[in-house]
Amino acid sequence: MANEIKNLANHGRETYAVYYGDDFVLKRPLPTFNDAAKTSWLAKQHRTKQIIDDIRSINNPLYNVPAMNFINDDEYQILEERAPGEPLTAIVYNNLSKRQQFEIINSVASFLVDMNELKPIGEIQKYKLAKDIKFSRLDNFIENKMSLWFTKTEVCEMAKIRDNIGTFEYETRLAWSHGDLNPGNVLYDAKTSKLSFIDFAEADYKFIYRDIFAPLQIELDIYKRVYETYCQLHNKSLYPMPSIKNESLREIMKYRIMAVWLRRFIKAADDLRINPSNQKSIDNNREKIFFMRKQMENFINLEKQFSK
């Protein structure tokens, strides 16, 4: 076994891989953690293991959730199964056959239903989308900094987008959710054509459309098809879901997509430097501004698409 593993240097926000084999990963908290941070880390791992065990107990053959095999509290170690495959990016997805793409859509929808129905579904309530977004950072950028790099027309357009998203409310329910469905947390194995869902650290009760219209489905442009499949699979006696043609649902789709793009816009804005000190910072600013203009273009095109 020792010959199958190797030492790694890559670090995450709280965890790094000590050993990485063909079938498993051994992880520990970051070496900089003190005793209190390590204790907190262990508590998160125990919670995550329970979440993983719960979804694995459904034993749905349409997707894979790698097991967390054990937690060694004394040594601050966890041993996890290694998820096969590569991140499910748009490039990977678009190079697959129609049949494989159909299987992916079915797998994602099945996983969403299984997660949502693991625990009791909440009652309908009003939810303000702005709660999902760091609006104070966005407001500060638009009002105080954006004009340094963007035209007056662009600043006004972005302020309008902010106001529309900031005031949007919709009816929804709390449901047990993964909470972080992005291409990095969904791996595709070309050998088996199977998906693996990983990183359940953010799993909790979330408002139901968050996972259904998550970054993964938006990047792959499969959110409508995933939603339609979800509606076919879910237990209708537990909670009804509106038709894809429902006007309120279309508004929810539009603004949930905008929220994903807006979070990326805010992150790019945070990285801009007012007085870049070197060429690297100048190039970084140029790259971020180009990216942010692309997001604004996406907003405008999405409005046109949903107005049809």
Side-chain angles (χ1 to χ4, degrees):
M1 181 180 296
N3 294 329
E4 298 175 358
I5 57 182
K6 53 187 176 182
N7 210 9
L8 287 190
N10 61 310
H11 291 246
R13 286 176 296 178
E14 295 185 343
T15 304
Y16 74 104
V18 182
Y19 298 111
Y20 207 100
D22 291 337
D23 301 315
F24 66 91
V25 185
L26 184 66
K27 297 179 179 179
R28 299 194 67 188
L30 293 180
T32 54
F33 278 14
N34 58 27
D35 288 345
K38 289 180 181 178
T39 299
S40 176
W41 181 87
L42 273 179
K44 288 181 181 179
Q45 304 315 310
H46 281 285
R47 178 183 180 275
T48 301
K49 185 179 187 306
Q50 185 59 60
I51 292 166
I52 290 172
D53 289 347
D54 287 346
I55 189 65
R56 281 177 55 84
S57 69
I58 295 176
N59 199 28
N60 192 324
L62 294 180
Y63 59 82
N64 174 51
V65 175
M68 186 181 289
N69 297 82
F70 73 80
I71 302 174
N72 185 332
D73 288 40
D74 294 333
E75 299 293 332
Y76 300 103
Q77 294 177 338
I78 57 175
L79 184 70
E80 298 178 341
E81 286 183 353
R82 180 180 175 184
E86 59 184 323
L88 183 58
T89 63
I91 293 175
V92 171
Y93 178 81
N94 291 333
N95 283 322
L96 299 176
S97 68
K98 295 296 183 184
R99 178 64 188 179
Q100 290 170 316
Q101 291 178 353
F102 170 81
E103 291 171 349
I104 284 174
I105 290 165
N106 199 40
S107 297
V108 172
S110 297
F111 172 77
L112 290 172
V113 170
D114 288 347
M115 280 295 293
N116 289 167
E117 296 182 2
L118 262 176
K119 299 191 177 186
I121 304 289
E123 297 298 321
I124 289 179
Q125 58 181 288
K126 284 277 192 180
Y127 183 69
K128 198 167 185 178
L129 186 57
K131 293 180 180 179
D132 281 0
I133 301 164
K134 304 293 186 182
F135 256 77
S136 60
R137 286 156 53 190
L138 179 63
D139 287 338
N140 179 57
F141 177 73
I142 292 174
E143 301 300 333
N144 301 315
K145 299 178 182 179
M146 190 172 177
S147 60
L148 296 174
W149 300 284
F150 295 85
T151 67
K152 183 177 180 180
T153 300
E154 289 172 325
V155 174
C156 291
E157 183 63 37
M158 200 62 219
K160 180 181 177 183
I161 291 168
R162 171 201 60 191
D163 294 342
N164 288 343
I165 294 177
T167 57
F168 181 67
E169 283 187 325
Y170 60 97
E171 291 187 341
T172 185
R173 302 169 185 269
L174 283 169
W176 191 243
S177 305
H178 179 278
D180 193 16
L181 282 179
N182 64 72
N185 288 336
V186 183
L187 305 184
Y188 178 73
D189 183 7
K191 294 180 181 178
T192 62
S193 296
K194 200 168 189 177
L195 296 185
S196 291
F197 293 87
I198 64 172
D199 197 352
F200 286 78
E202 299 298 320
D204 207 334
Y205 270 102
K206 311 281 185 182
F207 287 101
I208 198 166
Y209 294 112
R210 174 169 172 162
D211 268 9
I212 295 175
F213 303 120
L216 173 76
Q217 295 91 292
I218 293 167
E219 178 166 331
L220 304 187
D221 195 23
I222 59 172
Y223 55 90
K224 290 183 180 179
R225 294 174 66 191
V226 167
Y227 182 80
E228 289 174 321
T229 306
Y230 180 102
C231 289
Q232 294 169 7
L233 296 174
H234 90 285
N235 186 341
K236 298 171 183 59
S237 67
L238 292 178
Y239 53 103
M241 298 292 283
S243 162
I244 194 73
K245 296 180 180 179
N246 180 281
E247 283 302 316
S248 295
L249 189 275
R250 284 175 57 81
E251 284 281 283
I252 292 169
M253 274 196 293
K254 180 180 75 173
Y255 282 108
R256 290 277 2 158
I257 294 168
M258 283 188 170
V260 170
W261 291 341
L262 191 59
R263 281 195 289 270
R264 295 172 181 171
F265 181 94
I266 295 170
K267 187 177 186 305
D270 288 344
D271 289 339
L272 287 175
R273 297 293 175 263
I274 295 177
N275 296 306
S277 57
N278 52 50
Q279 188 60 46
K280 183 177 179 180
S281 294
I282 293 171
D283 292 342
N284 177 73
N285 273 10
R286 187 181 297 112
E287 177 183 326
K288 299 303 180 186
I289 292 167
F290 176 82
F291 174 80
M292 292 163 74
R293 283 202 166 98
K294 186 63 178 177
Q295 298 308 303
M296 294 172 65
E297 182 181 325
N298 287 340
F299 292 137
I300 294 170
N301 291 336
L302 191 69
E303 286 281 7
K304 293 177 180 177
Q305 176 187 335
F306 276 86
S307 65
K308 294 179 182 178

